[in-house]
Amino acid sequence: MGQLIAGNWKMNGLLAEAMALAKAIANGAGGLACDLLVCPPATVIRPVGGALAGTPVAVGGQDCHAAVKGAHTGDLAAAMLRDAGACWVILGHSERRTDHGETDAQVAAKVAAAVAAGLTPIVCVGETEAERLAGRQEAVVGTQLAGSLPGDFAGVVAYEPVWAIGTGRTPTEADVAAMHVFIRAVLLRRLGPSGQAVRILYGGSVNPGNAVALMGLPEVGGALVGGASLVAANFLEIARAAR
Ligand code: PGA
């Protein structure tokens, strides 16, 4: 399986700029070895998906509700993302966990809803800086994985140390590799042999300058890219670093 390079546009992109970005990415996406995904704001999933139809770039959402439908003002059901043209959804991003108090149990419920609606979930885990300084990063990520992933999980995991997101700082290559090897072991214990098929993305200040080194590390199955995914040339350069 090739690596997956996923762009998390977060709360960026009015229609005109989202369309320009999508088209610029599509123009450079031919002949790449990796899988490509963009996750724009939900308001532009449908037009961005239209612009990317027939290209190798897939479209996803950034969150969904656990319920199928109902009285949840402002929320989006997984089936609504699917209906808008998304095939993937990011779940449990640290900004959701922090800004909206999402728990592992809520993330697990969202994973089930996403899968039921035909979306492939990308489940984010990662420690805070205080937790890493205390040497607790594996305990924290292990707990998040245990609480967020169903026993039959078949999506993607993204390791995103909270302190590396949007800061320009990344763990050392040895620390990224160690965490990815740890996550793989957890997945194999939890899921059996199918745990081998789960891609483990690294996310947190991935940029064209560090992508080759990060994408070459053991058990790194791709990248979840925030800031650098908003500039087509940077996102494509990261994609060219992938295998
Ligand atoms: P960043 O964000 O690349 O801007 O650090 C990554 C993410 O939050 O997914």
Side-chain angles (χ1 to χ4, degrees):
M1 197 169 358
Q3 290 182 317
L4 170 66
I5 304 298
N8 175 9
W9 294 5
K10 307 192 179 184
M11 199 171 71
N12 298 287
L14 301 180
L15 181 60
E17 55 188 337
M19 293 299 276
L21 178 54
K23 285 176 186 160
I25 291 170
N27 280 339
L32 290 169
C34 61
D35 294 330
L36 279 178
L37 167 68
V38 295
C39 297
T43 47
V44 296
I45 286 175
R46 185 182 298 280
V48 163
L52 295 175
T55 80
V57 189
V59 183
Q62 299 176 11
D63 176 51
C64 71
H65 198 278
V68 172
K69 60 166 141 177
H72 302 288
T73 302
D75 279 313
L76 294 169
M80 293 171 176
L81 299 178
R82 189 79 192 84
D83 189 49
C87 293
W88 297 75
V89 63
I90 299 168
L91 294 173
H93 189 280
S94 76
E95 287 150 19
R96 299 292 315 174
R97 293 177 184 265
T98 302
D99 296 355
H100 300 270
E102 284 187 13
T103 64
D104 292 332
Q106 285 170 321
V107 175
K110 291 178 178 212
V111 170
V115 171
L119 300 174
T120 302
I122 300 174
V123 175
C124 303
V125 295
E127 82 285 356
T128 65
E129 183 156 39
E131 289 163 343
R132 177 162 283 272
L133 289 173
R136 296 187 51 234
Q137 64 275 8
E138 290 190 355
V140 168
V141 168
T143 299
Q144 290 173 330
L145 290 169
S148 304
L149 302 186
D152 59 351
F153 184 72
V156 171
V157 168
Y159 168 56
E160 297 207 303
V162 178
W163 53 274
I165 294 175
T167 59
R169 299 162 58 210
T170 60
T172 64
E173 290 170 25
D175 285 346
V176 172
M179 180 58 84
H180 281 244
V181 168
F182 169 76
I183 292 172
R184 176 67 67 209
V186 171
L187 292 173
L188 288 170
R189 257 199 321 273
R190 184 78 193 280
L191 308 174
S194 58
Q196 195 60 49
V198 173
R199 285 184 280 195
I200 309 168
L201 312 185
Y202 169 77
S205 295
V206 176
N207 62 47
N210 60 24
V212 170
L214 287 167
M215 293 306 103
L217 296 173
E219 299 295 357
V220 171
L224 183 54
V225 186
S229 75
L230 296 173
V231 177
N234 291 343
F235 186 62
L236 290 166
E237 197 170 336
I238 292 167
R240 282 191 288 273
R243 293 172 268 139

